[in-house]
Amino acid sequence: MSALILPARDATIRQAASILKCGGLVGMPTETVYGLAANAADPEAVARLYTAKGRPLFNPLIAHVSGLEAAKLEGRFNTNARRLAEAFWPGPLTLVVPVAESATICDLARAGLDTVALRTPAHPVARDLVFAFGGPLVAPSANPSGRASPTTASHVAADMSDAIDLVLDGGGCAVGIESTIIACLGETVSLLRPGGISVEDLEAILGKPLSHTTANPDTPASPGQLTRHYATRAELRLNAAAPQSDEAYLGFGPVDKATLNLSATGDLKEAAANLFSMLRALDESHTRIAVAPIPMTGPGGAINDRLARAAKCV
Ligand code: TXA
Ligand code: MG
């Protein structure tokens, strides 16, 4: 079976919702990266999803919901969690909260944990698909486990075409890196994965610093934060002021000799949106890639996190 790419319209979104109701897998655009969606309440569909991604069963999935009211049926929101959801949903923020008694998301999707990861996507196609389906959709990034995330429908088809039923094409992903994952468990608010919402913006809403989980790559607090993630086949050299003669150069800002430039004007949002597609493009044509230094402010934290994992430097 080969995945069909269809432009996202009302009719194709309805078609995708019926595929999901029958236990199928659908590639879905979100504002962060493309996700591979399945019915969160159907253990057989979720098992197919783990197999399609080659994802270890101990690594739980994010469930996409229509908003805070739907999220509250799945997880228990304390004051901090509610405040963050109200400020940043719909948008690139995932909240890990204790699972609610009324939850419909199956155990397998949560990898048996007593917590659940929830987010309300801002992309209109993801939002419409969640509404048309009428319940939570789990959706990990639509790439084989450990490889760069997809930011176009053709990335999804190239990587996963044999395993999925349909890809909805909703164009490129405006944010380009995955959601920030925050755990709100008890009084502590911890950063599990940097992403589309910056630490500075989160702390401004909370009025206090986030606690950062100690990075132990063997037992990550967010199990997907394994050391070798987003891997390129090419060797990556980070913080490179200039390329060597046998290297492609992924630039940032006004640098010379860039093979591709994440943002010639030094705009970190633009750089995040370009990151995965430019890494993929250079990976196809080169065996060594040097990457220019990227500042750590705003989206730079998440960009540097992804680059370090791709280069196996964490
Ligand atoms: O932007 C995104 O978040 C994208 C789009 C498609 O929504 N999705 C995404 O999913 O990045 P995925 O599966 O590639 O990453 C989900 C991360 C993993 O690192 C997983 O370990 C973590 O969420 N996670 C899920 N449930 C968790 C839980 N209960 N506790 C801690 N971490 C959890
Ligand atoms: Mg992923």
Side-chain angles (χ1 to χ4, degrees), residues 53 141 143 149 178 229:
K53 266 193 71 95
S141 48
N143 53 295
S149 296
E178 298 86 345
H229 215 82

Side-chain angles (χ1 to χ4, degrees), residues 68-78 97-105 115-116 118:
L68 185 52
E69 287 316 306
K72 282 184 188 161
L73 297 174
E74 304 298 332
R76 299 207 304 272
F77 281 66
N78 62 17
V97 297
V99 68
E101 263 177 34
S102 53
T104 61
I105 296 166
T115 55
V116 61
L118 296 162

Side-chain angles (χ1 to χ4, degrees), residues 51-187:
T51 306
K53 266 193 71 95
R55 180 175 181 118
L57 293 176
F58 62 77
N59 189 2
L61 305 169
I62 296 173
H64 297 65
V65 291
S66 56
L68 185 52
E69 287 316 306
K72 282 184 188 161
L73 297 174
E74 304 298 332
R76 299 207 304 272
F77 281 66
N78 62 17
T79 310
N80 288 323
R82 216 170 37 242
R83 194 177 289 165
L84 292 176
E86 280 165 357
F88 297 109
W89 283 1
L93 174 69
T94 295
L95 293 169
V96 171
V97 297
V99 68
E101 263 177 34
S102 53
T104 61
I105 296 166
C106 66
D107 276 5
L108 183 59
R110 291 185 282 105
L113 298 175
D114 55 9
T115 55
V116 61
L118 296 162
R119 105 170 174 94
T120 298
H123 194 295
V125 175
R127 202 191 50 210
D128 290 353
L129 185 57
V130 171
F131 272 107
F133 175 72
L137 290 176
V138 280
S141 48
N143 53 295
S145 209
R147 312 229 46 109
S149 296
T151 52
T152 65
S154 53
H155 291 159
V156 181
D159 284 355
M160 310 285 299
S161 80
D162 290 343
I164 61 184
D165 302 301
L166 171 66
V167 185
L168 287 174
D169 188 348
C173 301
V175 176
I177 43 176
E178 298 86 345
S179 59
T180 304
I181 305 182
I182 297 288
C184 294
L185 304 170
E187 280 315 296

